[in-house]
């Protein structure tokens, strides 16, 4: 009896290692086969998993009686972090990513129940609880890393979108054009204004076309941002010509009571370009003798 | 045909989601393009106010049917500081945050019905409706 209570999970795991690894890997492969095996290198997976199993064994050696608490720089945490980050980037669903350690739990439980130790209820319960504790911690960690990775991805994407969608184009000497595309929130509005002002100073521009064709709705906050941009541009000596207000947009602005009367507006970008060139004393003319 | 969508607003960008949902619903109900644009703008205004003046809240969109007309009900609800003086908030150019102060008066003109209930320290509930075929403008305050 006492001998069985002294049953050592770490030693048991060491003896079972190869068998556990085999059962675990075949479970994983059968679940991942359909969606992920083209992104997972099975050889690498084996190597990683063997390493993880070894780290779990060491945990049991180091914490034979008490429950393990993950510390951020422990080897096993680093290992789990790196492989779940990788999987989140590869497009694994969170359930499939956590399946990795849940499958290990299943394999370990099954083997323990078949073992001689299963006859001793106290020893068995202790072993199961220890395994469960470790796997639960790892599962939570995988979830956490998954969410972190996706959030970082989203943040990066919105940053790239921000850069993408606020170009300031030099149309002609002293004429700039800013096509506003997409949602104009405070951050984007501020960035657009900054870029426009920089460009006005750099090119000594006197006219800037602000094209709002790509803005989904012209509400008061967008209108407010545009007004501020215009006021700032004027302080640097540049006139702003606004183009691309749709008929619906124009009616809505009137309903909102936004006063754009101080702003030069043109219905189309074409008219805006003509107007802007005129303001710098240029004109587009047809070439004589052209076909 | 009772459809309901809720959009929770806690960031500025969430007003774009509320706008998209409003447009989808309007298209689904066969709203005209201009009416749909009015509705979308009003929803954006209410959502922006939730974020800017109440620290967040929720936009709820619902389909309304009345005899031969279909409409969309927008409810903007928050548990923010409340509006001290609703009449003043509806006045053109009134803003406590350096905005244009055109939002609420604009919503009143863009929508067919507007109802504002606000209690200081408890929050604000704004209900606005837009009918596909314009019915008389109704205004109420409570
Ligand atoms: N949900 C709300 N909770 C508390 N106060 C509000 C709320 N909505 C509006 N207000 C108050 O009513 C005022 C008027 O709102 P309105 O939308 O008309 O203008 P604004 O948001 O200040 O500027 P903008 O023209 O950009 O909309 C606000 O400045 C604010 O004080
Ligand atoms: Mg507002």
């Amino acid at each position: 009896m006492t001998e069985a209570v002294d049953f050592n999970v770490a030693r048991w795991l060491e003896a079972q290692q190869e068998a556990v690894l085999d059962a675990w890997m075949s479970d994983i492969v059968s679940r991942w086969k359909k969606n992920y095996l083209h992104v997972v290198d099975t050889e690498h997976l084996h190597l990683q998993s063997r390493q993880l199993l070894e780290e779990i064994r060491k945990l049991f050696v180091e914490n034979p009686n008490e429950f393990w608490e993950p510390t951020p720089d422990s080897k096993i945490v680093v290992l789990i972090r790196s492989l779940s980050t990788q999987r989140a980037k590869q497009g694994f669903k969170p359930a499939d990513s956590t399946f990795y350690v849940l499958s290990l739990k299943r394999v370990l439980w099954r083997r323990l129940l078949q073992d001689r130790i299963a006859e001793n209820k106290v020893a068995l319960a202790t072993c199961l609880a220890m395994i469960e504790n470790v796997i639960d911690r790892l599962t939570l960690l995988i979830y956490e890393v998954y969410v972190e990775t996706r959030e970082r991805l989203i943040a990066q994407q919105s940053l790239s979108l921000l850069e993408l969608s606020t170009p300031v184009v030099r149309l002609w000497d002293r004429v700039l054009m800013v096509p506003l595309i997409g949602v104009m929130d405070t951050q984007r509005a501020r960035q657009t204004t900054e870029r426009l002002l920089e460009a006005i100073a750099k090119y000594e521009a006197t006219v800037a076309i602000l094209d709002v064709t790509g803005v989904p709705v012209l509400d008061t906050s967008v209108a407010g941002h545009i007004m501020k941009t215009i006021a700032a541009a004027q302080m640097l000596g540049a006139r702003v010509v606004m183009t691309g207000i749709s008929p619906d947009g124009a009616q809505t602005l009137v309903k909102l009571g936004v006063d754009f009367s101080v702003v030069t507006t043109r219905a189309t970008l074409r008219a805006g370009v003509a107007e802007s060139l005129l303001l710098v004393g240029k004109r587009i003319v047809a070439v004589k003798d052209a076909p | 045909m009772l459809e309901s969508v809720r959009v929770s607003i806690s960031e500025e960008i969430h007003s774009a989601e509320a706008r998209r949902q409003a447009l989808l619903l309007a298209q689904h109900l066969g709203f005209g393009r201009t009416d749909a644009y009015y509705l979308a703008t009003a929803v954006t205004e209410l959502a922006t106010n939730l974020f800017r003046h109440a620290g967040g809240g929720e936009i709820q969109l619902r389909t309304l049917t009345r005899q031969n007309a279909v409409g969309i009900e927008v409810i903007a609800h928050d548990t923010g500081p409340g509006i001290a003086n609703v009449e003043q908030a509806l006045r053109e150019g009134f803003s406590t945050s350096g905005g244009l102060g055109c939002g609420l008066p604009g919503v009143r003109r863009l929508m067919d019905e507007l109802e504002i209930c606000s209690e200081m320290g408890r929050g604000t509930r704004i209900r606005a409706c837009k009918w596909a075929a314009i019915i008389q403008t109704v205004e109420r305050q409570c």
Side-chain angles (χ1 to χ4, degrees):
Chain A
M1 196 74 164
T2 39
E3 183 210 7
V5 177
D6 275 346
F7 174 86
N8 186 313
V9 201
R11 217 176 307 132
W12 176 79
L13 201 55
E14 193 169 16
Q16 301 274 326
Q17 195 145 332
E18 288 311 310
V20 166
L21 197 62
D22 278 350
W24 181 23
M25 288 303 101
S26 70
D27 198 27
I28 296 289
V29 168
S30 73
R31 163 114 178 199
W32 286 358
K33 191 165 50 194
K34 221 172 90 206
N35 296 324
Y36 307 112
L37 273 199
H38 58 285
V39 291
V40 175
D41 173 5
T42 40
E43 213 166 297
H44 185 59
L45 178 69
H46 266 80
L47 219 69
Q48 245 175 1
S49 307
R50 185 185 296 277
Q51 213 180 342
L52 184 65
L53 209 54
E54 176 58 18
E55 289 306 317
I56 292 177
R57 191 189 64 80
K58 279 193 209 151
L59 280 188
F60 290 141
V61 175
E62 286 157 17
N63 312 273
N65 301 314
E66 69 239 71
F67 282 131
W68 168 65
E69 286 276 353
T71 47
D73 44 7
S74 65
K75 210 168 161 192
I76 188 161
V77 169
V78 172
L79 193 66
I80 283 285
R81 276 193 164 276
S82 102
L83 60 86
S84 34
T85 305
Q86 188 188 6
R87 281 172 201 160
K89 281 184 184 159
Q90 285 168 334
F92 274 68
K93 289 192 184 120
D96 291 321
S97 193
T98 47
F99 177 78
Y100 181 63
V101 287
L102 293 176
S103 156
L104 175 61
K105 175 156 94 175
R106 207 156 63 174
V107 169
L108 290 176
W109 276 42
R110 208 179 291 139
R111 297 197 75 83
L112 259 183
L113 291 174
Q114 286 163 2
D115 200 278
R116 201 164 47 88
I117 187 182
E119 288 157 25
N120 184 322
K121 296 279 180 288
V122 178
L124 180 68
T126 315
C127 287
L128 293 182
M130 280 175 80
I131 291 172
E132 172 136 295
N133 173 55
V134 170
I135 301 287
D136 284 358
R137 302 296 182 130
L138 296 183
T139 308
L140 290 178
L141 192 62
I142 291 178
Y143 258 112
E144 207 179 282
V145 172
Y146 180 83
V147 172
E148 273 171 24
T149 310
R150 303 299 283 199
E151 273 175 359
R152 207 171 311 132
L153 213 67
I154 292 167
Q156 282 164 358
Q157 279 170 349
S158 44
L159 274 182
S160 341
L161 220 59
L162 201 67
E163 287 169 6
L164 232 168
S165 46
T166 43
V168 176
V169 184
R170 191 178 178 209
L171 208 64
W172 200 256
D173 298 331
R174 294 187 290 144
V175 180
L176 300 174
M177 188 181 83
V178 188
L180 299 180
I181 293 159
V183 180
M184 286 296 289
D185 58 13
T186 310
Q187 199 191 355
R188 281 215 28 215
R190 190 177 305 141
Q191 199 188 33
T192 306
T193 308
E194 268 168 29
R195 293 205 175 168
L196 177 61
L197 295 183
E198 274 167 23
I200 288 174
K202 183 172 166 195
Y203 298 116
E204 297 177 357
T206 50
V207 188
I209 303 173
L210 212 59
D211 183 68
V212 297
T213 311
V215 178
V217 294
L218 292 168
D219 59 357
T220 58
S221 84
V222 174
H225 292 318
I226 290 176
M227 300 279 225
K228 283 182 195 142
T229 309
I230 290 173
Q234 269 167 353
M235 260 189 259
L236 292 188
R239 294 260 312 257
V240 172
V241 176
M242 212 169 122
T243 62
I245 302 178
S246 67
D248 289 335
Q251 289 189 73
T252 305
L253 284 173
V254 170
K255 290 243 179 203
L256 286 173
V258 173
D259 185 10
F260 266 142
S261 59
V262 291
V263 186
T264 311
T265 53
R266 289 291 176 270
T268 60
L269 183 55
R270 183 169 171 269
V273 170
E275 172 72 22
S276 306
L277 288 175
L278 215 59
L279 285 170
V280 294
K282 297 274 189 290
R283 194 153 50 106
I284 295 177
V285 288
V287 179
K288 259 190 210 148
D289 309 325
Chain B
M1 193 178 9
L2 198 134
E3 280 189 52
S4 168
V5 191
R6 285 162 188 271
V7 182
S8 143
I9 309 289
S10 56
E11 312 251 353
E12 190 178 6
I13 192 77
H14 294 161
S15 61
E17 175 61 15
R19 181 200 74 229
R20 276 191 291 270
Q21 293 295 340
L23 267 183
L24 277 178
L25 200 54
Q27 272 160 9
H28 177 68
L29 294 179
F31 270 57
R33 222 191 45 209
T34 307
D35 278 344
Y37 198 105
Y38 285 174
L39 172 83
T41 309
V43 167
T44 314
E45 292 296 341
L46 293 174
T48 308
N49 279 356
L50 286 179
F51 164 76
R52 200 179 292 162
H53 306 301
E58 190 185 66
I59 293 279
Q60 192 183 349
L61 303 166
R62 230 158 42 106
T63 303
L64 298 176
T65 43
R66 184 199 277 173
Q67 285 144 358
N68 298 325
V70 286
I72 293 177
E73 177 192 64
V74 183
I75 292 176
H77 177 255
D78 66 70
T79 51
I83 301 176
N85 184 338
V86 171
E87 223 170 285
Q88 190 180 38
L90 280 167
R91 208 174 298 147
E92 201 78 51
F94 175 81
S95 171
T96 53
S97 67
L100 298 178
C102 294
L104 285 181
V107 171
R108 173 149 72 173
R109 283 188 292 260
L110 291 167
M111 302 291 280
D112 298 319
E113 295 172 32
L114 179 69
E115 211 178 292
I116 301 178
C117 301
S118 189
E119 207 181 317
M120 288 306 283
R122 312 271 322 247
T124 304
R125 186 177 185 275
I126 301 181
R127 180 180 168 275
C129 303
K130 184 90 197 156
W131 295 93
I134 307 265
I135 298 169
Q136 268 186 350
T137 305
V138 183
E139 264 174 43
R140 256 183 300 165
Q141 251 183 44
C142 60

